[in-house]
Amino acid sequence: MIFKNKYFQLCLALGLGIIVLLLPRPEGTTFKVIGDFDRLVLEQAAGDFELVSENAKEHSYNIKVVDAEKVGPEIGDYLRDIAANTKGDGPITVDYVDGLDPKGKRFLAILGVLIFLFVMEPIPLEITAIGIGVSLVLLGVADVKDAWAPYMHPVVVFIMCCLIFAIALDKAGLTKRLGYFVVKMAGTSVVKFTFIISIGLGIASSFMHDAAAVAVGIVTMLPLMKAAGIQPHSKTAKFMMLSLPFACSCGGMGSLIGGGRCMVAAAFLKEFTGIEISFLDWIIYCMPAAIITVPAAVMVVYMVYRPNPKYQLPQFDESLGPWSGREKITLIIIGLAFMAWLTKGLHGMDYSVTGMIAVGALVLMDILHWDDIHEHLEWGTALFIFGGGISLGLGMGYSGAAAYFANLFFPYVQGGGWLLLFIGVGVFGALVTNAMANVAAAALILPIVIPMAQLEGVDPRIMALCLGTATSFAMLLVIGCPPNAIAYSYKYFKASDLTKVGAVATPILLSILVLVAAVWWHILGLT
């Protein structure tokens, strides 16, 4: 069929981008002026614009056009020309509030093309991910430095550490010991094995980061899958390889260290309101949702990709014997790295730094050699797919597209009480995070919704908790979160397979989250 031809699909993707570029751009009527301490822009535009609001903390104010026909169709350009010719104390910038910046429109064209390519995969995802940086520069959305810097973002380095730890655990034989333990509990049943290891590591993700849990789980699972003759792209393989990242993504919401999105949400809440959510508070509020959504996510994957019952996992007849010195040293080094991650608030060292120190220790202790890392690390996943996702997310922010959608979407939930606001923010966060890292999604949306919650008389803690949890459901695209990208890197399923099950799982898991919030948070007196 011609639709499956990769050149035809590439033409469709390009055509989609051109269509987006040709669509009329909503110009808007309200603009944010930043850095104009003496309001010189407003003074020069007097008569054409009027003051709407001001934000002393941001040194910004919003103005609205009085007579759009008098100013002309390009209202933003008119205002930016005034700002460019105004000599203030520093640079003055003009951002769109209810319209779409021209740069934002170009970004949406790129986004349309990329989403099509990520789902249909006419070319390898690694090449598509490289195309993110190229297209952002070519269409003038970002400069070269801003476009490529996220490909070596600290989060990317952290993901590489998680993948290297998994290689070390496998080389030391610890994943075989974990697989032996799970098989002892599950027998030869593929379904029982997958449920036990996915739910176990899913809950553990609350305290060991979801990316690390997925990496460990997959290297434990793969030898057993190969021994059982489970072929890539079979329903059984999809069930096993997708259950793990979905479960770990859900489990990551259980504590502040489970995923960067939780820490970002708590940090932004304190920055904007002075309210602090402690480590224990977050667990009390969010762990029930994690405990319920982890098995629910695995069940959804099971319903979509029913495994073939003919596959049986191998039995371990021989005893693994006592722990070797190599296993103990590996466990101690990686355990110390986890302790460093758990205590980041005390020493302040970034996760990527402490992770790489542990990688160096593994090499010095001869647990790993450079060839082990070079040959087994999925460089394309770590550097390109996840780095490209971060670059795309940041591009959405500084192009103005994120702010446009936020302003377009949130008026529909204003005035409806905390639950409607929670649902609206949750749905918006869960959708946006699929096009960027969930840390970036939380960081982009929180500055918008926290003031909105305060205006609505809603406890701002609800918005922080909402985005920290809802952005865990990045289940539509591979680039949505590290667990997806890590699982995809082993090539046992296609990107569209993830999208298929993610489209079913996302509304179900969001509904569970809303139910937990409505009941559990109400009992705790949060609402």
Side-chain angles (χ1 to χ4, degrees):
M1 291 176 61
I2 189 171
F3 189 74
K4 291 186 177 180
N5 183 283
K6 68 177 182 181
Y7 298 107
F8 180 73
Q9 291 178 345
L10 286 172
C11 289
L12 281 180
L14 189 60
L16 181 63
I18 293 172
I19 289 173
V20 174
L21 283 176
L22 293 177
L23 289 173
R25 180 177 60 83
E27 176 66 25
T29 57
T30 306
F31 300 84
K32 177 191 279 188
V33 182
I34 306 168
D36 184 13
F37 299 95
D38 299 321
R39 298 186 184 178
L40 299 175
V41 172
L42 178 60
E43 184 178 316
Q44 294 184 59
D48 296 328
F49 290 84
E50 62 184 7
L51 182 67
V52 176
S53 61
E54 59 184 332
N55 187 328
K57 189 175 181 180
E58 285 186 349
H59 302 296
S60 67
Y61 58 90
N62 288 359
I63 57 177
K64 186 176 183 179
V65 68
V66 176
D67 186 350
E69 291 186 2
K70 179 183 174 184
V71 175
E74 302 294 337
I75 303 173
D77 289 344
Y78 170 79
L79 205 52
R80 282 175 168 169
D81 287 342
I82 294 177
N85 295 320
T86 300
K87 293 184 178 178
D89 295 331
I92 300 174
T93 59
V94 175
D95 290 340
Y96 285 68
V97 173
D98 58 349
L100 181 62
D101 192 293
K103 188 187 290 184
K105 188 181 178 185
R106 295 196 296 274
F107 172 84
L108 292 181
I110 295 171
L111 185 63
V113 172
L114 291 171
I115 288 177
F116 185 92
L117 296 179
F118 273 123
V119 173
M120 300 307 297
E121 285 188 90
I123 53 176
L125 288 195
E126 289 82 356
I127 302 301
T128 302
I130 292 173
I132 293 172
V134 173
S135 55
L136 289 177
V137 174
L138 289 179
L139 290 189
V141 176
D143 61 28
V144 175
K145 184 179 178 182
D146 288 340
W148 293 119
Y151 288 78
M152 193 46 80
H153 192 279
V155 175
V156 173
V157 179
F158 169 73
I159 298 303
M160 291 171 62
C161 293
C162 294
L163 292 170
I164 295 172
F165 285 176
I167 296 170
L169 289 170
D170 193 41
K171 293 286 293 183
L174 283 164
T175 53
K176 184 177 180 181
R177 197 173 285 279
L178 175 61
Y180 183 89
F181 174 73
V182 178
V183 167
K184 278 287 185 185
M185 297 175 66
T188 58
S189 169
V190 167
V191 175
K192 284 184 181 177
F193 175 86
T194 306
F195 266 86
I196 290 173
I197 195 168
S198 298
I199 293 174
L201 286 173
I203 299 299
S205 295
S206 294
F207 302 100
M208 62 182 292
H209 204 287
D210 49 17
V214 168
V216 171
I218 287 181
V219 293
T220 302
M221 191 182 282
L222 273 179
L224 297 172
M225 293 175 67
K226 290 175 179 174
I230 298 171
Q231 296 299 312
H233 306 291
S234 64
K235 283 191 175 181
T236 305
K238 293 172 187 174
F239 164 63
M240 299 181 78
M241 295 296 280
L242 284 167
S243 292
L244 200 55
F246 277 30
C248 292
S249 291
C250 292
M253 73 170 80
S255 82
L256 279 176
I257 59 170
R261 57 197 177 276
C262 305
M263 287 186 285
V264 166
F268 271 64
L269 178 69
K270 186 175 183 182
E271 176 70 23
F272 283 93
T273 67
I275 300 172
E276 185 170 4
I277 299 180
S278 69
F279 188 82
L280 181 60
D281 287 340
W282 191 282
I283 292 175
I284 292 173
Y285 289 130
C286 300
M287 186 57 84
I291 291 173
I292 297 173
T293 54
V294 165
V298 182
M299 180 58 72
V300 170
V301 181
Y302 172 76
M303 297 302 290
V304 175
Y305 295 117
R306 290 291 185 99
N308 190 330
K310 77 173 185 181
Y311 292 114
Q312 297 290 311
L313 297 178
Q315 292 274 16
F316 287 93
D317 297 325
E318 79 284 7
S319 171
L320 292 180
W323 287 57
S324 67
R326 186 181 178 86
E327 288 175 314
K328 291 176 183 175
I329 293 172
T330 304
L331 206 59
I332 289 171
I333 292 173
I334 295 179
L336 288 173
F338 277 113
M339 288 300 297
W341 292 346
L342 286 168
T343 56
K344 178 178 179 292
L346 297 176
H347 53 73
M349 282 194 289
D350 190 78
Y351 302 102
S352 59
V353 175
T354 47
M356 277 300 171
I357 290 174
V359 169
L362 288 168
V363 174
L364 286 174
M365 298 302 291
D366 281 334
I367 304 298
L368 282 178
H369 298 98
W370 171 247
D371 285 345
D372 298 323
I373 299 172
H374 172 67
E375 292 172 5
H376 299 288
L377 181 63
E378 295 295 335
W379 297 96
T381 298
L383 289 175
F384 299 138
I385 295 181
F386 196 66
I390 296 176
S391 183
L392 190 66
L394 294 177
M396 189 167 185
Y398 49 65
S399 71
Y404 170 72
F405 280 117
N407 285 295
L408 188 70
F409 180 76
F410 286 120
Y412 294 104
V413 296
Q414 279 183 299
W418 80 269
L419 189 57
L420 184 62
L421 190 60
F422 179 94
I423 295 171
V425 171
V427 171
F428 185 70
L431 292 177
V432 168
T433 193
N434 282 282
M436 63 183 70
N438 42 28
V439 173
L444 280 172
I445 302 171
L446 275 165
I448 300 169
V449 298
I450 286 179
M452 183 178 294
Q454 291 173 314
L455 288 173
E456 289 284 297
V458 173
D459 190 330
R461 289 181 297 173
I462 293 176
M463 293 297 97
L465 292 167
C466 173
L467 276 171
T469 51
T471 50
S472 300
F473 307 137
M475 297 170 173
L476 296 177
L477 295 178
V478 169
I479 61 170
C481 64
N484 293 353
I486 290 172
Y488 174 81
S489 68
Y490 291 90
K491 310 299 182 188
Y492 269 69
F493 60 86
K494 296 174 66 176
S496 55
D497 296 325
L498 184 142
T499 303
K500 179 182 176 183
V501 68
V504 179
T506 301
I508 292 174
L509 297 174
L510 270 174
S511 300
I512 293 174
L513 179 63
V514 171
L515 186 63
V516 171
V519 177
W520 180 238
W521 294 2
H522 182 70
I523 292 173
L524 295 176
L526 188 62
T527 60

